[in-house]
Amino acid sequence: DAGVIQSPRHEVTEMGQEVTLRCKPISGHNSLFWYRQTMMRGLELLIYFNNNVPIDDSGMPEDRFSAKMPNASFSTLKIQPSEPRDSAVYFCASTLRDNEQFFGPGTRLTVL
Amino acid sequence: GDSVTQMEGPVTLSEEAFLTINCTYTATGYPSLFWYVQYPGEGLQLLLKATKADDKGSNKGFEATYRKETTSFHLEKGSVQVSDSAVYFCALSDRKAGTALIFGKGTTLSVSS
């Protein structure tokens, strides 16, 4: 079992650039979650999908953020254009039942 | 809405000390409760869970009991180790499958030898 896979693990970019974060959930899991973690705000839910359909995106900070899940084995979180305040660790998690979520290792994003 | 409140950290202990991290919740229904742990540089891992009142979750020497009367789910360990140093998150979820977890802000534990 490979667990939840996220790429890249680290991303450094300049303000204004587009950033795409990727997630592969555990095979067979039907719910996927994107979180952002910062020292100031802690762990925030950005968006989650059930059966590839976005259910709640109220946590997405603004229109610069978008997320897609084209199939059950892949999701992306895109920031365009990126800003320094987007610097954070972004986690993806998946679950099948009992709401026990399995987290990926995270992507550390630094926007200069 | 539903919410989780954890004690503020950091918590600093010596090895073999007793640990308690308080967690209380507010929920309209009968949620499932979780403790997650995050080691430095890693994602969150499920530590233990309880799905109904009076259930006790346990793992790696950690325990927490689902107390409906006090709406609490305090994490305890009788003798902490340096390797327990991490951030601990209390969380709840609606029993409905596929809903998001609501996390507390996390409590940092630092154990020294």
Side-chain angles (χ1 to χ4, degrees), chain B residues 7 10-22 35 37 47 60-64 74-81 84-88 107-111:
Chain B
M7 62 187 287
V11 174
T12 303
L13 296 173
S14 297
E15 206 165 24
E16 299 183 4
F18 184 85
L19 168 71
T20 299
I21 300 178
N22 290 338
W35 277 102
V37 58
L47 181 59
K60 300 180 180 179
F62 290 89
E63 293 183 340
H74 304 321
L75 182 68
E76 296 181 336
K77 186 174 186 181
S79 176
V80 294
Q81 305 300 312
D84 293 327
S85 298
V87 182
Y88 293 81
T107 302
T108 299
L109 171 65
S110 178
V111 181

Side-chain angles (χ1 to χ4, degrees), chain A residues 44-109:
Chain A
E44 304 172 277
L45 175 68
L46 300 177
I47 184 172
Y48 74 96
F49 298 82
N50 282 348
N51 298 315
N52 313 337
V53 176
I55 301 301
D56 183 357
D57 66 353
S58 60
M60 297 286 262
E62 48 198 274
D63 292 346
R64 297 184 297 106
F65 286 68
S66 62
K68 294 182 179 180
M69 192 166 186
N71 57 62
S73 59
F74 184 66
S75 178
T76 59
L77 178 67
K78 185 177 294 186
I79 308 173
Q80 166 63 16
S82 58
E83 297 183 2
R85 60 190 167 126
D86 301 330
S87 297
V89 181
Y90 291 81
F91 289 104
C92 175
S94 69
T95 187
L96 176 60
R97 60 180 182 276
D98 296 336
N99 295 319
E100 177 182 334
Q101 293 187 14
F102 294 80
F103 281 74
T107 295
R108 182 173 294 278
L109 173 65

Side-chain angles (χ1 to χ4, degrees), chain A residues 37 48 50 99-101 103, chain B residues 36 38 44 46 93-94 98:
Chain A
Q37 186 178 39
Y48 74 96
N50 282 348
N99 295 319
E100 177 182 334
Q101 293 187 14
F103 281 74
Chain B
Y36 279 79
Q38 184 179 29
L44 279 70
L46 179 67
S93 79
D94 191 301

Side-chain angles (χ1 to χ4, degrees), chain B:
Chain B
D2 295 356
S3 65
V4 174
T5 303
Q6 286 182 242
M7 62 187 287
E8 297 263 339
V11 174
T12 303
L13 296 173
S14 297
E15 206 165 24
E16 299 183 4
F18 184 85
L19 168 71
T20 299
I21 300 178
N22 290 338
C23 171
T24 57
Y25 67 90
T26 302
T28 53
Y30 300 93
S32 295
L33 301 174
F34 305 82
W35 277 102
Y36 279 79
V37 58
Q38 184 179 29
Y39 298 104
E42 298 183 11
L44 279 70
Q45 304 173 26
L46 179 67
L47 181 59
L48 54 83
K49 67 178 181 181
T51 57
K52 60 182 186 297
D54 299 325
D55 267 3
K56 177 185 285 188
S58 61
N59 186 25
K60 300 180 180 179
F62 290 89
E63 293 183 340
T65 301
Y66 190 140
R67 300 288 189 197
K68 182 172 178 291
E69 64 275 15
T70 54
T71 62
S72 65
F73 193 55
H74 304 321
L75 182 68
E76 296 181 336
K77 186 174 186 181
S79 176
V80 294
Q81 305 300 312
V82 172
S83 58
D84 293 327
S85 298
V87 182
Y88 293 81
F89 292 88
C90 185
L92 69 79
S93 79
D94 191 301
R95 290 183 180 282
K96 183 179 175 183
T99 55
L101 291 175
I102 297 172
F103 285 93
K105 293 188 180 299
T107 302
T108 299
L109 171 65
S110 178
V111 181
S112 58
S113 57

